[in-house]
């Protein structure tokens, strides 16, 4: 199993060194960044993996600004914020924007390790989900315009006769298109086709 990666972002070098020592001893691969800009530059060149541990209040780009930028990335890693007691309103805002969790300073080491392990698992699931959605999208691109129309109507729950009426084609022609759609999509049933369609839509959110 691949060692879990944690991207730690904090403008305090002592905090970075302390967290690297702690998390490294717990089996994490730790990559340190002194600003949100550095982290974003890294992700511009490397595929996001693992999870992120980020201070919520930093000079220049704040943790929330980093989060907003990360939310634009496909397969963005889960992010855990480090906050002081006076920064709890910021933490709540971060959670509403999709943060995995926040930990209050001074940080409880065992709690932090537990949350990072769980965030790592969620990150793996997200990336697998994104890869599957990308494959489904690729299959959809192989459909002809008419096959795509038939697929959309199938997913909406319409029977062949209704699809034939809506598209002004014969029921037999619908059956042919339906068979080709199932083959190109790699779907073994109509419910499977519906699930794939929903997965692609969910990946866009």
């Amino acid at each position: 199993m691949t060692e879990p990666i944690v991207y730690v972002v904090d403008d305090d070098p002592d905090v970075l060194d302390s967290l690297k020592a702690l998390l490294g001893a717990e089996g994490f691969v730790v990559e340190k960044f002194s600003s949100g800009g550095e982290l974003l530059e890294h992700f511009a060149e490397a595929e996001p993996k693992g999870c992120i541990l980020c201070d919520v209040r930093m000079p220049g780009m704040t943790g929330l600004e980093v989060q907003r930028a990360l939310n634009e990335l496909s397969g963005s890693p889960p992010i855990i914020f480090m906050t002081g007691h006076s920064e709890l309103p910021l933490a709540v805002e971060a959670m509403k924007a999709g943060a995995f969790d926040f930990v209050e300073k001074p940080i409880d080491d065992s709690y932090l390790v537990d949350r990072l392990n769980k965030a790592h698992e969620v990150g793996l699931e997200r990336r697998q989900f994104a890869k599957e959605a990308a494959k489904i999208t690729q299959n959809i691109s192989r459909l002809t315009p008419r096959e795509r129309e038939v697929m959309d109507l199938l997913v909406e729950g319409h029977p062949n006769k209704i699809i034939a009426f809506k598209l002004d084609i014969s029921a037999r022609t619908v059956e042919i298109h339906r068979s080709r759609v199932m083959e190109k999509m790699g779907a073994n049933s109509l419910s499977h086709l519906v699930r794939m369609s929903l997965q692609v839509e969910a990946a866009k959110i």
Side-chain angles (χ1 to χ4, degrees), residues 44-59:
E45 300 177 357
E47 179 185 0
K49 297 179 180 179
C51 59
I52 299 167
L53 179 62
C54 182
D55 192 15
V56 74
R57 190 182 296 279
M58 296 180 289

Side-chain angles (χ1 to χ4, degrees), residues 56-126:
V56 74
R57 190 182 296 279
M58 296 180 289
M61 179 176 276
T62 67
L64 292 178
E65 290 171 332
V66 172
Q67 181 185 26
R68 282 192 286 269
L70 289 171
N71 284 343
E72 299 297 319
L73 297 178
S74 175
S76 175
I79 184 168
I80 295 176
F81 282 111
M82 299 177 284
T83 70
H85 179 69
S86 62
E87 297 161 338
L88 285 179
L90 291 177
V92 172
E93 184 179 348
M95 294 291 285
K96 288 180 179 178
F100 182 78
D101 204 348
F102 65 89
V103 291
E104 288 187 68
K105 301 174 182 176
I107 298 173
D108 180 285
D109 294 349
S110 60
Y111 179 78
L112 175 61
V113 169
D114 177 71
R115 298 310 291 160
L116 286 172
N117 277 316
K118 286 183 170 58
H120 177 71
E121 293 173 3
V122 168
L124 288 174
E125 293 171 357
R126 284 183 185 177

